[in-house]
Structure formats: C-alpha cells, structure tokens
C-alpha cells in the first residue's frame, strides 16, 4: 500500500519521530555535501495552483540534491480541477513519476489526487492545512530547545491552514497549544475537536493575545489573509488590530520565547519589522528546515529509510 502525506496525523506518533530523526540525518549529510543520492533515476512532479517561494525551491533543490529530477508545473500547466478531471491527472502523472507533491486551493482535490494516484502524494498546502510546514516547525523547535517537554506554542492571528496543521500535530505529540485569534477568525471546530479528543495536548482558543502569550516558548504568526483571500485584507485588518506580533507582545511572552512565522511575512502588518529582525526570531532557520524535513518525508514515503 502506498502512503500519502496529506495531513500531519497521516503519520503515527512513532512515524513522526522517525521522520524527525531522519531529517536530522539528511540535514547533516546535506551540510557535509555528502554524495547521497537515494533518488537517482527518480522524478518528482510538483503541481502548483498557488504561488510559492520556499515550498517550490526547497522541494526542487532537496530532491535534486538527493539525486532526483523535480518537475515544476505552474498553474498554467495543470490548473487542477479546471482543464481535466483530478482523477485523470492523478493517474497520468503517476505513470511518469515516483512522487507527486501539490499545492492546491480545495483540500478535496488533494484527497482525490491521492486516492487516484498510484504513487505517494504530498500536500504542499491547501486552503485547509500545510503539513510539511508544521513538520519543519516542530523539527526547528526541537533543534533549538533540545526537547519538546512541556512546550507551550502560542499562535497569534488568523485561525487558518497553519493552525489546522498545529491542531492535527497536537493529536499526535503532546504540547500546550493556544490559538489567539479574533472571534470571527477561529479555526475549524471539527479540527479543534479532533485535537482535543486525542487527549494528548491541551488546546485553548483565546481572544486576548497579551494573556495568551504569557510563558510561551514559541510565539507564532502568519498572514491575516491567506492565498485566495488576499482581497479581504483591508476588511480583515480592523478585526486583527490587537493581534500584531510586536515588541510589546514579545515582552509579554517573556525573555525565553522565540518568534516563528511560516513566511511570507507582511512586515508591519501581522508582525513588526523589529520582531522579524530581533534575536528571538528564528524564521530563517525555520525556512531552511523545510527542505531537510521534506527530504525526510519523501524518503519515508518512498520506502527509502
Ligand atoms: N511557508 C511557505 O510555504 O512558503 P511559500 O508559500 O513561499 O512556499
Ligand atoms: N496561510 C498562508 C500560508 C502561506 C505559507 C497561506 O495559505 O497563504
């Protein structure tokens, strides 16, 4: 049975730890510029319906460095769900490639893609979630902190695809997760319930960021309007007025809190330039780790570990 990676909890707890360990190993090999090419004679199809910097470059570079060939398909090449049926594209692209990754709008489309593809499918972000991001984030936190014991992550902002991924990780690994968001922009209830029902992590939804960030190990934010919602930014801004991550909010979190952002950031909107540039900010290590963790995910799915 082929495996897909559409949600972080498609992996068991044990498998998540296995991928995190593997990522550490592939990162060390990468840094040594070791000749390590498990994907020689392999190809990866990368289907993008949305823009990307980190995801495109990290997957393409990562797969190349592991010996394979990655094919970047723009929204003009495959506009999933428009030019032809998703189930047709799934089977066609599977005939040419060993792995497929896709960044799509509609989460149902990636589920259909995976159901019909005969090779592993990786979710590179949908409107619903972004599992590769959250695996890189937890890897980065562990790398910085040495462990994940009694970890408090406070996400401040829109209850979006990043939050859904944190919640689904909270169903596999134990931590304290607080989502501080405006009342109109809470995460999906079913996903909050999934995280709570797993009984591993504490989950809180708060509307007071200053209160939420107290004793945080990590203060995390993301844009207030995601891809597909950019036209809503001006309408959304007043609701998020108290949710900017600025120096006052970081001071309320305390001196040991680090700042994370999946990027791209809109400086001086959801986060100030000063916080982005502060010593607490680990956003570029976080971005780098996308590549190492995704390499580990691809090796795991391809059965090469
Ligand atoms: N964080 C992230 O996925 O960035 P891109 O949208 O640039 O790929
Ligand atoms: N929530 C953002 C994440 C970008 C990586 C978006 O979907 O646009």
């Amino acid at each position: 049975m082929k495996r897909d990676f559409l949600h972080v909890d498609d992996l068991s707890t044990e498998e998540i730890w296995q991928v995190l360990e593997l990522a550490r190993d592939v990162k060390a090999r990468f840094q040594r510029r070791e000749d390590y090419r498990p994907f020689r004679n392999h190809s990866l199809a990368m289907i993008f319906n949305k823009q990307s910097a980190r995801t495109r470059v990290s997957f393409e570079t990562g797969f190349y460095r592991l010996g394979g060939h990655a094919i970047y398909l723009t929204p003009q090449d495959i506009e999933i769900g428009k030019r032809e049926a998703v189930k047709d594209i799934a089977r066609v692209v599977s005939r040419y490639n060993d792995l497929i990754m896709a960044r799509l709008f509609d989460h149902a489309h990636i589920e259909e893609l995976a159901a019909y593809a005969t090779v592993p499918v990786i979710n590179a972000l949908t409107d619903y979630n972004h599992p590769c991001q959250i695996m890189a984030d937890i890897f980065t936190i562990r790398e910085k902190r040495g462990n994940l014991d009694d970890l408090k992550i406070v996400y401040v902002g829109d209850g979006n695809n990043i939050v859904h991924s944190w919640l689904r990780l909270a169903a596999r690994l134990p931590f304290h997760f607080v989502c501080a968001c405006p009342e109109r922009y809470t995460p999906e209830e079913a996903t909050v319930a999934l995280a709570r029902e797993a009984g591993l992590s504490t989950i809180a939804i708060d509307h007071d960021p200053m209160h939420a960030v107290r004793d945080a190990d990590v203060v995390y934010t993301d844009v207030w309007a995601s891809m597909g919602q950019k036209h809503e930014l001006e309408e959304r801004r007043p609701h998020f007025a108290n949710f900017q991550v600025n120096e006052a909010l970081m001071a309320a979190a305390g001196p040991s809190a680090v700042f994370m952002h999946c990027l791209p950031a809109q400086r001086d909107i959801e986060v100030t330039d000063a916080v982005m540039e502060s010593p607490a900010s680990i956003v570029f290590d976080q971005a780098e780790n996308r590549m190492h963790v995704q390499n580990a995910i691809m090796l795991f799915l391809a059965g090469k570990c």
Side-chain angles (χ1 to χ4, degrees):
M1 267 287 278
K2 64 130 178 167
R3 295 286 299 273
D4 302 304
F5 185 66
L6 306 188
H7 316 93
V8 69
D9 53 327
D10 290 349
L11 302 181
S12 67
T13 300
E14 196 174 86
E15 288 169 338
I16 289 173
W17 282 114
Q18 188 185 341
V19 169
L20 294 178
E21 283 301 313
L22 184 60
R24 198 144 64 168
D25 177 60
V26 294
K27 180 172 182 175
R29 289 175 190 262
F30 190 96
Q31 288 176 332
R32 292 196 295 268
R33 295 196 83 87
E34 204 174 285
D35 187 10
Y36 172 58
R37 289 187 283 173
F39 283 132
R40 202 170 30 196
N41 296 331
H42 286 61
S43 65
L44 163 72
M46 308 195 300
I47 303 173
F48 281 87
N49 274 20
K50 291 178 173 174
Q51 290 181 310
S52 171
R54 279 143 291 273
T55 305
R56 189 252 167 115
V57 178
S58 59
F59 265 102
E60 189 164 331
T61 304
F63 199 71
Y64 166 74
R65 288 283 295 270
L66 293 176
H69 175 65
I71 303 157
Y72 173 57
L73 295 149
T74 70
Q76 283 69 45
D77 297 308
I78 302 183
E79 206 176 353
I80 282 272
K82 295 247 171 89
R83 183 161 179 256
E84 60 189 305
V86 176
K87 58 190 177 186
D88 292 351
I89 269 297
R91 286 170 287 183
V92 170
V93 175
S94 297
R95 297 287 178 111
Y96 307 129
N97 295 283
D98 302 284
L99 288 160
I100 300 172
M101 69 83 108
R103 165 168 285 194
L104 308 178
F105 287 90
D106 188 345
H107 192 70
H109 283 160
I110 200 142
E111 290 189 319
E112 190 179 350
L113 189 70
Y116 284 90
T118 54
V119 299
V121 172
I122 299 170
N123 176 357
L125 181 145
T126 65
D127 289 347
Y128 173 65
N129 68 342
H130 195 2
C132 294
Q133 180 71 54
I134 251 52
M135 283 294 280
D137 296 344
I138 201 71
F139 177 86
T140 306
I141 294 167
R142 184 185 181 212
E143 185 176 60
K144 297 282 172 200
R145 212 167 164 256
N147 62 61
L148 300 179
D149 301 345
D150 204 26
L151 173 68
K152 180 175 176 184
I153 297 169
V154 182
Y155 176 97
V156 180
D158 182 26
N160 62 12
N161 45 7
I162 296 293
V163 177
H164 295 152
S165 302
W166 276 119
L167 289 167
R168 295 185 77 126
L169 184 66
R172 287 284 181 266
L173 298 182
F175 53 92
H176 306 288
F177 183 70
V178 185
C179 174
C181 54
E183 283 177 36
R184 272 178 62 161
Y185 297 99
T186 53
E188 184 193 83
E189 268 176 37
T191 307
V192 175
L194 174 149
R196 287 198 171 126
E197 281 159 21
L200 268 183
S201 298
T202 65
I203 308 294
I205 308 295
D206 198 324
H207 304 299
D208 176 356
M210 280 290 179
H211 169 259
V213 296
R214 239 178 266 158
D215 301 322
D217 296 292
V218 177
V219 176
Y220 194 119
T221 194
D222 184 16
V223 291
W224 293 342
S226 287
M227 289 181 276
Q229 307 168 331
K230 293 293 178 199
H231 58 285
E232 293 176 22
L233 180 61
E234 287 316 312
E235 174 199 326
R236 286 172 168 245
R237 273 178 89 147
H239 297 277
F240 287 92
N242 297 327
F243 291 83
Q244 185 188 61
V245 179
N246 51 32
E247 285 157 301
L249 196 69
M250 289 305 292
S256 59
V258 295
F259 170 70
M260 299 181 78
H261 191 313
C262 56
L263 307 181
Q266 292 198 279
R267 286 175 187 242
D268 295 325
I269 299 185
E270 77 274 3
V271 56
T272 58
D273 185 70
V275 169
M276 281 285 286
E277 298 297 335
S278 70
S281 172
I282 58 168
V283 298
F284 300 111
D285 294 324
Q286 179 186 1
E288 178 190 336
N289 284 332
R290 287 289 304 279
M291 180 171 63
H292 306 303
V293 171
Q294 288 159 191
N295 283 349
I297 292 167
M298 291 190 287
L299 290 166
F300 174 84
L301 294 177
K304 294 192 178 292
C305 60

